[in-house]
Amino acid sequence: MVVVARTLSILIYGVVAMFIAAWLAQTTGAIDGDAIGAIPPALGFGACVAVGVLGIVIGTITAVRLYSTRELR
């Protein structure tokens, strides 16, 4: 149960970091509405799924390592 909770917390931090990065990119003008509209929906959805799966994998590996060394209780 602790591994699941730790994995979810790492995943939530990753999502928050992505929102902050997107906000900064829009604020600084690095990305505008035209650039986002040029991305095909399937590619955008695939990228989101890939980032999500990567976050889950990294979070799970981190949580298992911490739990196995008894640093996470």
Side-chain angles (χ1 to χ4, degrees):
M1 186 63 156
V2 173
V3 173
V4 173
R6 185 68 175 166
T7 302
L8 287 176
S9 69
I10 291 171
L11 183 61
I12 290 169
Y13 289 137
V15 169
V16 170
M18 287 181 7
F19 277 121
I20 292 171
W23 176 76
L24 285 173
Q26 288 179 344
T27 302
T28 60
I31 293 182
D32 59 356
D34 294 334
I36 294 173
I39 299 171
L43 179 63
F45 180 74
C48 290
V49 169
V51 168
V53 168
L54 183 64
I56 291 170
V57 168
I58 291 172
T60 303
I61 290 169
T62 303
V64 167
R65 283 184 159 195
L66 289 174
Y67 185 74
S68 66
T69 59
R70 303 282 184 208
E71 292 178 24
L72 182 65
R73 296 176 202 242

